[in-house]
Amino acid sequence: MKYILVTGGVISGIGKGIIASSVGTILKSCGLHVTAIKIDPYINIDAGTFSPYEHGEVFVLDDGGEVDLDLGNYERFLDIRLTRDNNLTTGKIYQSVINKERNGDYLGKTVQVVPHITDAIQEWVMRQAKVSVDDDGIEPEVCVIELGGTVGDIESMPFIEAFRQFQFKVKRENFCNIHVSLVPQPNSTGEQKTKPTQNSVRELRGLGLSPDLIVCRCSTPLDTAVKEKISMFCHVEPEQVICIHDVSSIYRVPLLLEDQGIVDYFCRRLNLLTEMRPRKMLTKWKEMSDRSDRLLEQTSIALVGKYTKLSDSYASVIKALEHSALAINYKLEVKYIDSADLEPAALQEEPVKYHEAWQKLCSADGVLVPGGFGVRGTEGKIQAINWARKRKKPFLGVCLGMQLAVCEFARNICLCYQVIEMPEHNPGQMGGTMRLGKRRTLFKSTSSVLRKLYGDAEYVDERHRHRFEVNPELKHHFEDRGFRFVGQDLEGERMEIIELQDHTYFVGVQYHPEFTSRPIKPSPPYFGLLLAASGKLQNYLQKGCRLSPRDTYSDRSGSSSPDSEISEIKFPSLS
């Protein structure tokens, strides 16, 4: 097993997740099986109880794990399926050690950070690195580990110490450290400054880890002199200083890394036996990057939510929209609308924001109401749904968005109320008490638009994260009026998919399809929204959906097997 540790310096949020994902993508493209682990030094057991303003969205895995959004990047870039144990937190480590202590596993010894906590970290990493994340069930050969936060943080010290010991346990030829640092360029001088990187590397070396590669994040490409200066003061060769400047698309990051010889370096440094064909396998990334830069036509989607001040709050939603827009050759414009600004109360309190919000909504080609929690802003979401229904604007409601679509129809058409609390919800505890993870949804109608978009599948397996559900006892009130529940769970007790008849595209899903969207396999509900917003849905359906989103590309290009060949990407022909 080869381990690649990605650390960060100077500031957090520097792009370690994208760098780690890109490194994994390149190695996978060389024929290796790759897995990934994200370490978060906070004391929370998982990300489930966070506000999206803390660390961005909460990403949900197949097994119901509520994890950091970086695991979403790993899954999208590497096309793998991770588990909750691929996200390691201080809380999980301390909980496992304390449980062992209570069980008497330490035989009366004093339990300390070193060696007990550090040993537990190393054991967790070694154990999880062997878990298969590909469909073929083969054990991974490379494990990319991202350490969250910034070198020097008090909370990450036990992890740094654990990996200081770990590098000797697994031997030098099996362990490599990539340090991601910021090279700022002040507007006053325009000069690229290396001092923050020098200080960051010095601190890391003082803690016992010497970076093998220094990845410099900067706004423009690094000057040769700057690269040599970093090399000289940070005790690495110039070829070990990698520049990742700001680019038009994150799909270009693996190409940037590969262009700077990262594959050759890993082969020498880690004695990797690769098939050495990354360029052939990275064709899809170059194709997507070039296509993204060449797009001319544009479509706009109004995203009506309550966490719109931070785009990371809806990271997977935005990615799912981007995947679908790219598939139909359209540029995507996302209009972020704070749902509270659409409410009648906002007209009195902040009339300017109220009119701006409604102007954004009315000028959008489609409306998306994503998931969320709490009462604040729900009336504004209902107003947006009401407008989309009456004006026949393409609409997609996800989780809470679907429930509010039911509420809106119940309130204005059926004159009844409909949403109930989940039967298994534990009112005394918040963490991990929702309906979580991959569940099966059966289509109850052969004429369903969404079923056609899924390739006329009889069922779909998608990820859930919700507490409330639609009351099945009242569904006949809706279906008599053209509001159909076309997807239900295996028992027929949970309403999973809604569609409104005689509408361009009015769809709601109880699950979160954005979590399984991939760059070359866009999520069907989002794909349908973009098709409808661009006026191409009916044409697509009339062609019999021969190019279903899940089958848009070569059958083998979506395979998680490293032996599969990447053929030329073929996006749907919608002309």
Side-chain angles (χ1 to χ4, degrees), residues 403-416:
Q403 295 167 3
L404 293 180
V406 175
C407 288
E408 188 279 327
F409 200 84
R411 182 186 293 183
N412 296 307
I413 305 296
C414 301
L415 305 179
C416 64

Side-chain angles (χ1 to χ4, degrees), residues 154-166:
I154 290 175
E155 56 189 9
S156 64
M157 289 297 184
F159 294 99
I160 296 284
E161 172 59 22
F163 286 109
R164 184 194 69 77
Q165 300 170 18
F166 190 70

Side-chain angles (χ1 to χ4, degrees), residues 60-91:
V60 179
L61 303 172
D62 278 351
D63 65 355
E66 297 171 287
V67 296
D68 186 84
L69 61 82
D70 277 319
L71 275 81
N73 286 325
Y74 305 156
E75 288 204 342
R76 283 186 288 268
F77 271 72
L78 295 165
D79 195 17
I80 55 179
R81 298 290 177 116
L82 301 172
T83 66
R84 67 179 75 225
D85 286 345
N86 287 87
N87 191 191
L88 177 55
T89 70
T90 296

Side-chain angles (χ1 to χ4, degrees), residues 148-288:
T150 309
V151 168
D153 292 346
I154 290 175
E155 56 189 9
S156 64
M157 289 297 184
F159 294 99
I160 296 284
E161 172 59 22
F163 286 109
R164 184 194 69 77
Q165 300 170 18
F166 190 70
Q167 63 187 334
F168 302 113
K169 180 180 287 187
V170 297
K171 307 301 181 202
R172 174 178 161 76
E173 64 272 15
N174 298 320
F175 181 85
C176 172
N177 176 211
I178 300 174
H179 188 62
V180 185
S181 184
L182 177 69
V183 178
Q185 194 168 359
N187 291 332
S188 56
T189 62
E191 183 186 0
Q192 293 174 327
K193 297 293 186 181
T194 65
K195 194 62 71 178
T197 297
Q198 292 179 43
N199 291 338
S200 178
V201 171
R202 185 184 304 116
E203 177 139 29
L204 184 64
R205 288 169 63 85
L207 295 170
L209 283 174
S210 295
D212 297 283
L213 290 173
I214 299 173
V215 175
C216 298
R217 285 285 292 111
C218 40
S219 52
T220 57
L222 274 187
D223 297 335
T224 304
V226 174
K227 203 171 184 179
E228 289 174 350
K229 188 175 181 182
I230 292 171
S231 164
M232 181 170 63
F233 284 104
C234 295
H235 202 64
V236 293
E237 295 282 345
E239 67 164 15
Q240 293 170 261
V241 180
I242 307 292
C243 165
I244 300 294
H245 57 272
D246 294 347
V247 286
S248 57
S249 163
I250 59 169
Y251 304 134
R252 292 207 177 277
V253 177
L255 303 172
L256 269 179
L257 290 169
E258 202 269 333
D259 285 344
Q260 294 177 69
I262 201 167
V263 174
D264 291 337
Y265 179 79
F266 279 137
C267 286
R268 294 196 310 273
R269 174 68 180 75
L270 296 174
N271 298 331
L272 288 175
L273 300 174
T274 68
E275 297 171 25
M276 291 302 294
R277 49 170 190 176
R279 287 205 173 274
K280 188 175 183 182
M281 295 294 285
L282 286 174
T283 301
K284 66 174 180 178
W285 295 96
K286 186 167 192 329
E287 179 81 17
M288 284 188 292

Side-chain angles (χ1 to χ4, degrees), residues 12 38-51 53-59 65-71 84 86-95 117 121 146-150 153-159:
S12 60
K38 172 69 191 292
I39 295 176
D40 287 302
Y42 48 67
I43 298 176
N44 303 61
I45 298 295
D46 61 27
T49 55
F50 281 143
S51 158
Y53 284 143
E54 289 286 314
H55 296 275
E57 75 169 4
V58 177
F59 191 80
E66 297 171 287
V67 296
D68 186 84
L69 61 82
D70 277 319
L71 275 81
R84 67 179 75 225
N86 287 87
N87 191 191
L88 177 55
T89 70
T90 296
K92 284 182 180 178
I93 285 293
Y94 273 82
Q95 188 180 55
I117 296 295
I121 293 167
E146 179 193 346
L147 176 57
T150 309
D153 292 346
I154 290 175
E155 56 189 9
S156 64
M157 289 297 184
F159 294 99

Side-chain angles (χ1 to χ4, degrees), residues 27-28 31-35 134 136 138-142 560-562:
L27 293 175
K28 184 165 184 174
L32 296 164
H33 284 77
V34 182
T35 186
D134 289 311
D136 55 20
I138 294 176
E139 184 178 308
E141 299 154 279
V142 179
S560 57
S561 166

